[in-house]
């Protein structure tokens, strides 16, 4: 089993010294470099670069730069989603972003975990667990989501949160660590003017 197969099977793998994985990350870095220096008005080129970089890209997507990924092909973004400036998606495992998701600036999604003992970290080992963000989620500014976390459909994650555990659907959650504050309800609806 090669290191990519080990990674994709959810096993500890050599993330730092395996030549094929290093090349894949460099290829993604080249594409993000091109994306990040492409003029905002050049929508056609930006979309072409995103389609080349990401594993799956829905319709009517807006991703503002700078934008960074490790591999890119493990990222899936659904229709009508928006990712603000400064996002970093550490996609050793899959990162799935649903449709109609609104993500604030300086977002981080980190699928990697590293060994606790220095001698294991120094070998370049890591393990990656997927992240899933459901449809209709709003994530505020400066939110960080850790490995293995799911955020349920329609939930709101408050600015500055560190999401260390999965969040159910239809709730407001925030904090460090992020915790559910309450369920969303009819009182949250903006009335007709």
């Amino acid at each position: 089993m090669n290191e990519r197969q080990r990674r994709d099977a959810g096993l500890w793998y050599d993330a730092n010294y395996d030549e094929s994985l290093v090349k894949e990350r460099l290829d993604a870095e080249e594409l993000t470099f091109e994306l990040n220096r492409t003029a905002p008005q050049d929508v056609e080129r930006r979309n072409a670069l995103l389609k080349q970089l990401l594993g799956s890209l829905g319709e009517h997507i807006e991703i503002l730069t700078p934008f960074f990924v490790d591999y890119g092909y493990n990222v899936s973004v659904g229709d009508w989603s928006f990712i603000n400036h400064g996002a970093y998606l550490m996609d050793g495992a899959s990162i799935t972003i649903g449709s109609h998701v609104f993500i604030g600036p300086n977002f981080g999604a980190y699928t990697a975990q590293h060994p606790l003992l220095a001698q294991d970290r120094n070998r370049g080992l890591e393990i990656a667990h997927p992240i899933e963000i459901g449809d209709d989620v709003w994530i505020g500014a400066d939110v960080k989501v850790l490995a293995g976390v799911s955020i349920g459909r329609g939930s709101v994650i408050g600015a500055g949160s560190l999401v260390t555990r999965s969040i159910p659907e239809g709730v407001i959650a925030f904090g460090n660590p992020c915790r559910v504050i309450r369920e969303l309800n009819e009182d949250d609806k903006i009335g007709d003017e």
Side-chain angles (χ1 to χ4, degrees):
M1 184 179 288
N2 66 33
E3 296 305 309
R4 183 175 179 176
Q5 291 167 329
R6 292 182 61 76
R7 180 198 68 190
D8 294 347
L11 302 173
W12 290 101
Y13 68 100
D14 178 354
N16 293 322
Y17 306 115
D18 180 74
E19 290 181 16
S20 64
L21 291 178
V22 170
K23 182 183 181 322
E24 288 180 2
R25 287 195 305 274
L26 285 173
D27 290 346
E29 192 170 353
E30 284 290 326
L31 287 171
T32 58
F33 178 79
E34 287 299 317
L35 174 67
N36 290 331
R37 71 182 194 147
T38 300
Q41 298 87 352
D42 195 349
V43 175
E44 187 174 313
R45 175 147 172 74
R46 292 171 64 82
N47 287 338
L49 287 166
L50 284 168
K51 285 180 182 175
Q52 189 177 352
L53 178 65
L54 301 183
S56 175
L57 194 61
E59 298 293 321
H60 308 287
I61 303 302
E62 187 170 6
I63 298 176
L64 302 182
T65 52
F67 175 75
F68 304 97
V69 295
D70 277 359
Y71 299 97
Y73 56 74
N74 282 328
V75 175
S76 171
V77 182
D79 298 335
W80 295 98
S81 288
F82 172 81
I83 301 174
N84 212 319
H85 298 285
Y88 173 37
L89 308 181
M90 182 188 285
D91 64 319
S94 64
I95 297 175
T96 304
I97 298 170
S99 295
H100 296 275
V101 173
F102 188 91
I103 296 177
N106 302 315
F107 174 68
Y110 310 115
T111 65
Q113 291 183 333
H114 301 283
L116 296 178
L117 298 179
Q119 65 263 27
D120 293 328
R121 279 194 310 278
N122 293 342
R123 291 172 44 207
L125 296 178
E126 72 178 43
I127 194 167
H129 300 288
I131 292 172
E132 186 169 341
I133 299 168
D135 295 342
D136 303 311
V137 168
W138 172 26
I139 296 176
D142 297 304
V143 169
K144 310 305 177 204
V145 178
L146 299 188
V149 166
S150 295
I151 299 173
R153 180 185 188 116
S155 285
V156 176
I157 307 297
S161 294
L162 176 63
V163 188
T164 60
R165 295 184 179 177
S166 292
I167 302 296
E169 67 179 49
V171 299
I172 297 174
F174 58 83
N176 184 356
C178 187
R179 66 190 187 288
V180 173
I181 303 303
R182 66 175 175 83
E183 290 184 7
L184 292 165
N185 59 57
E186 286 299 313
D187 292 338
D188 295 313
K189 185 176 180 180
I190 296 175
D192 295 331
E193 297 285 325

